[in-house]
mmCIF file of all heavy atoms in Angstrom:
data_model
loop_
_atom_site.group_PDB
_atom_site.id
_atom_site.type_symbol
_atom_site.label_atom_id
_atom_site.label_comp_id
_atom_site.label_asym_id
_atom_site.label_seq_id
_atom_site.Cartn_x
_atom_site.Cartn_y
_atom_site.Cartn_z
ATOM 1 N N PHE T 9 307.751 69.992 259.625
ATOM 2 C CA PHE T 9 306.410 69.688 259.034
ATOM 3 C C PHE T 9 306.498 69.345 257.592
ATOM 4 O O PHE T 9 305.906 68.424 257.091
ATOM 5 C CB PHE T 9 305.487 70.871 259.283
ATOM 6 C CG PHE T 9 304.048 70.514 258.833
ATOM 7 C CD1 PHE T 9 303.313 69.608 259.534
ATOM 8 C CD2 PHE T 9 303.509 71.127 257.675
ATOM 9 C CE1 PHE T 9 302.049 69.276 259.083
ATOM 10 C CE2 PHE T 9 302.259 70.803 257.260
ATOM 11 C CZ PHE T 9 301.493 69.884 258.008
ATOM 12 N N LYS T 10 307.280 70.175 256.860
ATOM 13 C CA LYS T 10 307.360 69.892 255.430
ATOM 14 C C LYS T 10 307.998 68.520 255.189
ATOM 15 O O LYS T 10 307.629 67.846 254.255
ATOM 16 C CB LYS T 10 308.255 71.000 254.806
ATOM 17 C CG LYS T 10 307.478 72.289 254.638
ATOM 18 C CD LYS T 10 308.394 73.334 254.051
ATOM 19 C CE LYS T 10 307.647 74.660 253.931
ATOM 20 N NZ LYS T 10 308.543 75.774 253.577
ATOM 21 N N ASN T 24 296.350 59.614 243.551
ATOM 22 C CA ASN T 24 295.446 60.359 242.731
ATOM 23 C C ASN T 24 294.878 59.583 241.528
ATOM 24 O O ASN T 24 293.972 59.993 240.872
ATOM 25 C CB ASN T 24 296.062 61.639 242.236
ATOM 26 C CG ASN T 24 296.226 62.621 243.348
ATOM 27 O OD1 ASN T 24 295.608 62.421 244.413
ATOM 28 N ND2 ASN T 24 296.981 63.659 243.090
ATOM 29 N N ASP T 29 288.152 54.247 232.331
ATOM 30 C CA ASP T 29 287.695 53.368 231.280
ATOM 31 C C ASP T 29 289.058 52.716 230.751
ATOM 32 O O ASP T 29 290.067 53.228 230.892
ATOM 33 C CB ASP T 29 287.043 54.144 230.081
ATOM 34 C CG ASP T 29 286.220 53.227 229.240
ATOM 35 O OD1 ASP T 29 286.833 52.617 228.391
ATOM 36 O OD2 ASP T 29 285.002 53.194 229.426
ATOM 37 N N ASN T 36 297.909 63.911 232.213
ATOM 38 C CA ASN T 36 297.886 65.351 232.263
ATOM 39 C C ASN T 36 299.023 65.753 233.063
ATOM 40 O O ASN T 36 299.028 65.511 234.246
ATOM 41 C CB ASN T 36 296.533 65.884 232.849
ATOM 42 C CG ASN T 36 296.446 67.371 232.910
ATOM 43 O OD1 ASN T 36 297.302 68.087 232.427
ATOM 44 N ND2 ASN T 36 295.432 67.841 233.579
ATOM 45 N N ASN T 37 300.082 66.349 232.527
ATOM 46 C CA ASN T 37 301.215 66.686 233.307
ATOM 47 C C ASN T 37 301.507 68.212 233.189
ATOM 48 O O ASN T 37 301.373 68.829 232.121
ATOM 49 C CB ASN T 37 302.461 65.992 232.744
ATOM 50 C CG ASN T 37 302.421 64.436 233.053
ATOM 51 O OD1 ASN T 37 301.882 64.096 234.086
ATOM 52 N ND2 ASN T 37 302.888 63.686 232.084
ATOM 53 N N ALA T 38 301.972 68.753 234.317
ATOM 54 C CA ALA T 38 302.281 70.161 234.399
ATOM 55 C C ALA T 38 303.769 70.297 234.538
ATOM 56 O O ALA T 38 304.430 69.635 235.278
ATOM 57 C CB ALA T 38 301.584 70.903 235.533
ATOM 58 N N GLU T 57 309.814 69.893 236.546
ATOM 59 C CA GLU T 57 308.800 69.636 237.545
ATOM 60 C C GLU T 57 308.415 70.962 238.248
ATOM 61 O O GLU T 57 309.307 71.785 238.535
ATOM 62 C CB GLU T 57 309.307 68.669 238.563
ATOM 63 C CG GLU T 57 308.352 68.341 239.664
ATOM 64 C CD GLU T 57 309.078 67.622 240.799
ATOM 65 O OE1 GLU T 57 310.088 68.111 241.387
ATOM 66 O OE2 GLU T 57 308.591 66.496 241.131
ATOM 67 N N GLY T 59 308.195 72.384 240.829
ATOM 68 C CA GLY T 59 308.527 72.356 242.263
ATOM 69 C C GLY T 59 308.380 73.729 242.961
ATOM 70 O O GLY T 59 307.791 73.909 244.034
ATOM 71 N N LEU T 60 308.976 74.690 242.258
ATOM 72 C CA LEU T 60 308.980 76.107 242.784
ATOM 73 C C LEU T 60 308.189 76.894 241.794
ATOM 74 O O LEU T 60 308.700 77.127 240.694
ATOM 75 C CB LEU T 60 310.376 76.590 242.922
ATOM 76 C CG LEU T 60 310.500 78.011 243.578
ATOM 77 C CD1 LEU T 60 309.967 78.025 244.995
ATOM 78 C CD2 LEU T 60 311.917 78.474 243.503
ATOM 79 N N VAL T 61 307.002 77.354 242.160
ATOM 80 C CA VAL T 61 306.148 78.051 241.199
ATOM 81 C C VAL T 61 305.692 79.307 241.893
ATOM 82 O O VAL T 61 305.058 79.358 242.925
ATOM 83 C CB VAL T 61 304.878 77.191 240.877
ATOM 84 C CG1 VAL T 61 303.944 77.992 239.979
ATOM 85 C CG2 VAL T 61 305.260 75.915 240.141
ATOM 86 N N SER T 82 287.167 56.645 218.251
ATOM 87 C CA SER T 82 286.797 57.861 217.460
ATOM 88 C C SER T 82 286.103 58.897 218.334
ATOM 89 O O SER T 82 285.897 58.763 219.557
ATOM 90 C CB SER T 82 285.867 57.459 216.278
ATOM 91 O OG SER T 82 284.651 56.915 216.861
ATOM 92 N N VAL T 85 287.261 63.985 222.170
ATOM 93 C CA VAL T 85 287.204 65.337 222.582
ATOM 94 C C VAL T 85 287.839 65.564 223.927
ATOM 95 O O VAL T 85 287.564 64.784 224.931
ATOM 96 C CB VAL T 85 285.722 65.886 222.618
ATOM 97 C CG1 VAL T 85 285.697 67.380 223.136
ATOM 98 C CG2 VAL T 85 285.021 65.721 221.320
ATOM 99 N N ASN T 87 288.536 68.158 227.007
ATOM 100 C CA ASN T 87 288.184 69.409 227.604
ATOM 101 C C ASN T 87 289.083 69.689 228.728
ATOM 102 O O ASN T 87 289.429 68.805 229.462
ATOM 103 C CB ASN T 87 286.781 69.325 228.185
ATOM 104 C CG ASN T 87 285.707 69.603 227.128
ATOM 105 O OD1 ASN T 87 285.669 70.678 226.547
ATOM 106 N ND2 ASN T 87 284.911 68.618 226.773
ATOM 107 N N ASN T 88 289.464 70.923 228.907
ATOM 108 C CA ASN T 88 290.312 71.329 230.026
ATOM 109 C C ASN T 88 290.016 72.751 230.480
ATOM 110 O O ASN T 88 290.386 73.666 229.897
ATOM 111 C CB ASN T 88 291.782 71.194 229.571
ATOM 112 C CG ASN T 88 292.760 71.127 230.816
ATOM 113 O OD1 ASN T 88 293.929 71.108 230.636
ATOM 114 N ND2 ASN T 88 292.174 71.124 232.019
ATOM 115 N N PRO T 89 289.338 72.826 231.667
ATOM 116 C CA PRO T 89 289.234 74.144 232.270
ATOM 117 C C PRO T 89 290.541 74.617 232.649
ATOM 118 O O PRO T 89 291.459 73.929 233.056
ATOM 119 C CB PRO T 89 288.389 73.848 233.508
ATOM 120 C CG PRO T 89 287.794 72.491 233.308
ATOM 121 C CD PRO T 89 288.749 71.769 232.526
ATOM 122 N N ASN T 92 292.821 77.288 238.446
ATOM 123 C CA ASN T 92 292.731 78.426 239.322
ATOM 124 C C ASN T 92 294.103 79.124 239.376
ATOM 125 O O ASN T 92 295.154 78.495 239.120
ATOM 126 C CB ASN T 92 292.355 78.072 240.730
ATOM 127 C CG ASN T 92 293.266 77.011 241.371
ATOM 128 O OD1 ASN T 92 293.460 75.938 240.737
ATOM 129 N ND2 ASN T 92 293.816 77.326 242.497
ATOM 130 N N ASN T 93 294.138 80.450 239.670
ATOM 131 C CA ASN T 93 295.394 81.268 239.745
ATOM 132 C C ASN T 93 296.188 81.215 238.497
ATOM 133 O O ASN T 93 297.379 81.492 238.471
ATOM 134 C CB ASN T 93 296.280 80.691 240.815
ATOM 135 C CG ASN T 93 295.749 80.751 242.256
ATOM 136 O OD1 ASN T 93 294.513 80.913 242.331
ATOM 137 N ND2 ASN T 93 296.504 80.683 243.238
ATOM 138 N N TYR T 161 299.122 73.324 226.128
ATOM 139 C CA TYR T 161 298.901 74.708 226.178
ATOM 140 C C TYR T 161 299.669 75.293 227.409
ATOM 141 O O TYR T 161 300.227 74.528 228.205
ATOM 142 C CB TYR T 161 297.366 75.077 226.404
ATOM 143 C CG TYR T 161 296.795 74.649 227.696
ATOM 144 C CD1 TYR T 161 296.577 75.543 228.735
ATOM 145 C CD2 TYR T 161 296.430 73.302 227.935
ATOM 146 C CE1 TYR T 161 296.118 75.126 229.980
ATOM 147 C CE2 TYR T 161 295.901 72.917 229.142
ATOM 148 C CZ TYR T 161 295.723 73.810 230.142
ATOM 149 O OH TYR T 161 295.218 73.417 231.406
ATOM 150 N N LYS T 166 299.137 83.557 238.307
ATOM 151 C CA LYS T 166 298.783 84.850 238.866
ATOM 152 C C LYS T 166 299.360 85.073 240.194
ATOM 153 O O LYS T 166 299.545 84.082 240.972
ATOM 154 C CB LYS T 166 297.270 84.978 238.967
ATOM 155 C CG LYS T 166 296.506 84.982 237.708
ATOM 156 C CD LYS T 166 295.061 85.336 237.914
ATOM 157 C CE LYS T 166 294.109 84.674 236.946
ATOM 158 N NZ LYS T 166 292.716 84.893 237.267
ATOM 159 N N MET R 1 310.525 61.405 241.402
ATOM 160 C CA MET R 1 309.235 61.288 242.003
ATOM 161 C C MET R 1 308.330 62.321 241.328
ATOM 162 O O MET R 1 308.424 63.495 241.609
ATOM 163 C CB MET R 1 309.292 61.561 243.465
ATOM 164 C CG MET R 1 310.011 60.461 244.250
ATOM 165 S SD MET R 1 309.979 60.783 245.979
ATOM 166 C CE MET R 1 311.107 62.144 246.065
ATOM 167 N N TYR R 4 303.387 65.248 240.771
ATOM 168 C CA TYR R 4 302.391 66.058 240.112
ATOM 169 C C TYR R 4 301.753 65.295 238.984
ATOM 170 O O TYR R 4 300.856 65.776 238.326
ATOM 171 C CB TYR R 4 303.002 67.335 239.575
ATOM 172 C CG TYR R 4 304.145 67.100 238.634
ATOM 173 C CD1 TYR R 4 303.990 67.200 237.283
ATOM 174 C CD2 TYR R 4 305.401 66.706 239.134
ATOM 175 C CE1 TYR R 4 305.032 66.910 236.444
ATOM 176 C CE2 TYR R 4 306.405 66.479 238.296
ATOM 177 C CZ TYR R 4 306.209 66.542 236.941
ATOM 178 O OH TYR R 4 307.288 66.247 236.066
ATOM 179 N N ARG R 5 302.254 64.108 238.711
ATOM 180 C CA ARG R 5 301.692 63.382 237.597
ATOM 181 C C ARG R 5 300.613 62.475 238.101
ATOM 182 O O ARG R 5 300.640 61.911 239.155
ATOM 183 C CB ARG R 5 302.783 62.474 236.999
ATOM 184 C CG ARG R 5 303.805 63.249 236.245
ATOM 185 C CD ARG R 5 304.670 62.347 235.500
ATOM 186 N NE ARG R 5 305.656 63.152 234.776
ATOM 187 C CZ ARG R 5 306.299 62.675 233.770
ATOM 188 N NH1 ARG R 5 306.254 61.422 233.435
ATOM 189 N NH2 ARG R 5 307.185 63.441 233.169
ATOM 190 N N ASN R 6 299.583 62.462 237.401
ATOM 191 C CA ASN R 6 298.421 61.678 237.769
ATOM 192 C C ASN R 6 298.011 60.812 236.633
ATOM 193 O O ASN R 6 296.972 60.913 236.076
ATOM 194 C CB ASN R 6 297.235 62.530 238.201
ATOM 195 C CG ASN R 6 297.618 63.396 239.355
ATOM 196 O OD1 ASN R 6 297.999 62.840 240.425
ATOM 197 N ND2 ASN R 6 297.548 64.708 239.242
ATOM 198 N N ILE R 34 295.620 68.386 256.152
ATOM 199 C CA ILE R 34 296.824 68.917 256.730
ATOM 200 C C ILE R 34 297.352 70.061 255.954
ATOM 201 O O ILE R 34 297.711 71.089 256.500
ATOM 202 C CB ILE R 34 297.892 67.721 256.756
ATOM 203 C CG1 ILE R 34 297.458 66.633 257.727
ATOM 204 C CG2 ILE R 34 299.229 68.270 257.173
ATOM 205 C CD1 ILE R 34 298.241 65.423 257.587
ATOM 206 N N ASP R 49 298.231 78.214 247.545
ATOM 207 C CA ASP R 49 297.087 77.588 246.851
ATOM 208 C C ASP R 49 297.507 76.400 246.086
ATOM 209 O O ASP R 49 298.523 76.401 245.448
ATOM 210 C CB ASP R 49 296.433 78.603 245.857
ATOM 211 C CG ASP R 49 295.597 79.634 246.499
ATOM 212 O OD1 ASP R 49 295.448 79.583 247.744
ATOM 213 O OD2 ASP R 49 295.127 80.583 245.860
ATOM 214 N N SER R 50 296.700 75.342 246.076
ATOM 215 C CA SER R 50 296.906 74.262 245.173
ATOM 216 C C SER R 50 296.348 74.668 243.779
ATOM 217 O O SER R 50 295.158 75.064 243.689
ATOM 218 C CB SER R 50 296.195 73.007 245.683
ATOM 219 O OG SER R 50 296.287 71.968 244.733
ATOM 220 N N ASN R 53 294.283 71.105 238.070
ATOM 221 C CA ASN R 53 293.748 71.151 236.731
ATOM 222 C C ASN R 53 293.376 69.723 236.294
ATOM 223 O O ASN R 53 294.138 68.793 236.507
ATOM 224 C CB ASN R 53 294.867 71.638 235.749
ATOM 225 C CG ASN R 53 294.448 71.510 234.314
ATOM 226 O OD1 ASN R 53 294.567 70.412 233.792
ATOM 227 N ND2 ASN R 53 293.991 72.594 233.741
ATOM 228 N N THR R 56 289.434 66.285 230.846
ATOM 229 C CA THR R 56 288.635 65.122 230.626
ATOM 230 C C THR R 56 288.611 64.805 229.132
ATOM 231 O O THR R 56 288.900 65.584 228.244
ATOM 232 C CB THR R 56 287.092 65.488 230.956
ATOM 233 O OG1 THR R 56 286.661 66.548 230.201
ATOM 234 C CG2 THR R 56 286.953 65.748 232.462
ATOM 235 N N ASN R 58 286.440 62.507 226.106
ATOM 236 C CA ASN R 58 285.294 61.767 225.731
ATOM 237 C C ASN R 58 285.621 61.108 224.316
ATOM 238 O O ASN R 58 286.263 61.778 223.571
ATOM 239 C CB ASN R 58 284.094 62.661 225.558
ATOM 240 C CG ASN R 58 283.641 63.182 226.944
ATOM 241 O OD1 ASN R 58 282.919 62.509 227.641
ATOM 242 N ND2 ASN R 58 284.151 64.391 227.318
ATOM 243 N N TYR R 59 285.139 59.922 224.178
ATOM 244 C CA TYR R 59 285.439 59.216 222.900
ATOM 245 C C TYR R 59 284.399 58.151 222.674
ATOM 246 O O TYR R 59 283.562 57.857 223.564
ATOM 247 C CB TYR R 59 286.853 58.672 222.903
ATOM 248 C CG TYR R 59 287.130 57.719 224.103
ATOM 249 C CD1 TYR R 59 286.844 56.376 224.031
ATOM 250 C CD2 TYR R 59 287.639 58.249 225.276
ATOM 251 C CE1 TYR R 59 287.046 55.532 225.110
ATOM 252 C CE2 TYR R 59 287.858 57.407 226.378
ATOM 253 C CZ TYR R 59 287.571 56.129 226.314
ATOM 254 O OH TYR R 59 287.775 55.259 227.388
ATOM 255 N N VAL R 60 284.537 57.513 221.533
ATOM 256 C CA VAL R 60 283.633 56.389 221.171
ATOM 257 C C VAL R 60 284.469 55.233 220.804
ATOM 258 O O VAL R 60 285.402 55.424 219.992
ATOM 259 C CB VAL R 60 282.608 56.794 220.067
ATOM 260 C CG1 VAL R 60 281.820 55.639 219.680
ATOM 261 C CG2 VAL R 60 281.717 57.922 220.612
ATOM 262 N N ASN R 69 289.475 60.995 232.869
ATOM 263 C CA ASN R 69 290.043 62.327 233.220
ATOM 264 C C ASN R 69 291.358 62.111 233.895
ATOM 265 O O ASN R 69 291.722 61.079 234.337
ATOM 266 C CB ASN R 69 289.045 63.196 234.030
ATOM 267 C CG ASN R 69 288.632 62.498 235.313
ATOM 268 O OD1 ASN R 69 289.486 61.947 236.023
ATOM 269 N ND2 ASN R 69 287.333 62.535 235.613
ATOM 270 N N GLU R 76 301.205 76.657 244.621
ATOM 271 C CA GLU R 76 301.854 77.944 244.276
ATOM 272 C C GLU R 76 302.687 78.304 245.554
ATOM 273 O O GLU R 76 302.219 78.315 246.667
ATOM 274 C CB GLU R 76 300.840 79.019 243.989
ATOM 275 C CG GLU R 76 301.492 80.394 243.635
ATOM 276 C CD GLU R 76 300.577 81.297 242.940
ATOM 277 O OE1 GLU R 76 299.498 80.934 242.376
ATOM 278 O OE2 GLU R 76 300.881 82.520 242.914
ATOM 279 N N ASP R 77 303.939 78.651 245.314
ATOM 280 C CA ASP R 77 304.831 78.982 246.412
ATOM 281 C C ASP R 77 304.713 80.443 246.829
ATOM 282 O O ASP R 77 304.082 81.205 246.116
ATOM 283 C CB ASP R 77 306.237 78.588 246.002
ATOM 284 C CG ASP R 77 306.388 77.066 245.777
ATOM 285 O OD1 ASP R 77 306.170 76.359 246.748
ATOM 286 O OD2 ASP R 77 306.708 76.669 244.616
ATOM 287 N N ASP R 215 313.234 79.607 252.105
ATOM 288 C CA ASP R 215 313.593 78.203 251.918
ATOM 289 C C ASP R 215 314.667 78.020 250.895
ATOM 290 O O ASP R 215 314.812 76.886 250.321
ATOM 291 C CB ASP R 215 312.295 77.382 251.605
ATOM 292 C CG ASP R 215 311.289 77.425 252.730
ATOM 293 O OD1 ASP R 215 311.731 77.544 253.859
ATOM 294 O OD2 ASP R 215 310.028 77.407 252.420
ATOM 295 N N SER R 243 309.327 71.444 245.953
ATOM 296 C CA SER R 243 308.364 70.317 245.810
ATOM 297 C C SER R 243 306.998 70.865 245.274
ATOM 298 O O SER R 243 306.590 71.964 245.766
ATOM 299 C CB SER R 243 308.191 69.548 247.062
ATOM 300 O OG SER R 243 306.938 68.802 246.941
ATOM 301 N N LEU R 245 304.354 69.876 246.214
ATOM 302 C CA LEU R 245 303.364 69.615 247.231
ATOM 303 C C LEU R 245 303.582 70.384 248.479
ATOM 304 O O LEU R 245 302.864 70.164 249.517
ATOM 305 C CB LEU R 245 303.298 68.119 247.534
ATOM 306 C CG LEU R 245 302.861 67.280 246.302
ATOM 307 C CD1 LEU R 245 303.005 65.824 246.613
ATOM 308 C CD2 LEU R 245 301.391 67.624 246.051
ATOM 309 N N MET R 247 304.570 74.414 250.145
ATOM 310 C CA MET R 247 304.766 75.826 249.849
ATOM 311 C C MET R 247 306.151 76.281 250.308
ATOM 312 O O MET R 247 306.396 76.357 251.506
ATOM 313 C CB MET R 247 303.658 76.678 250.507
ATOM 314 C CG MET R 247 303.740 78.082 250.107
ATOM 315 S SD MET R 247 302.571 79.162 250.999
ATOM 316 C CE MET R 247 303.389 79.363 252.524
#
Side-chain angles (χ1 to χ4, degrees):
Chain T
F9 186 67
K10 284 175 182 174
N24 286 349
D29 199 283
N36 179 8
N37 292 323
E57 179 189 59
L60 184 65
V61 176
S82 62
V85 178
N87 275 297
N88 196 182
N92 56 305
N93 298 17
Y161 68 100
K166 292 190 211 172
Chain R
M1 289 183 292
Y4 58 102
R5 289 190 179 195
N6 298 302
I34 295 169
D49 283 357
S50 174
N53 173 278
T56 59
N58 292 276
Y59 55 88
V60 173
N69 60 45
E76 182 163 342
D77 296 299
D215 295 330
S243 159
L245 296 171
M247 182 185 80

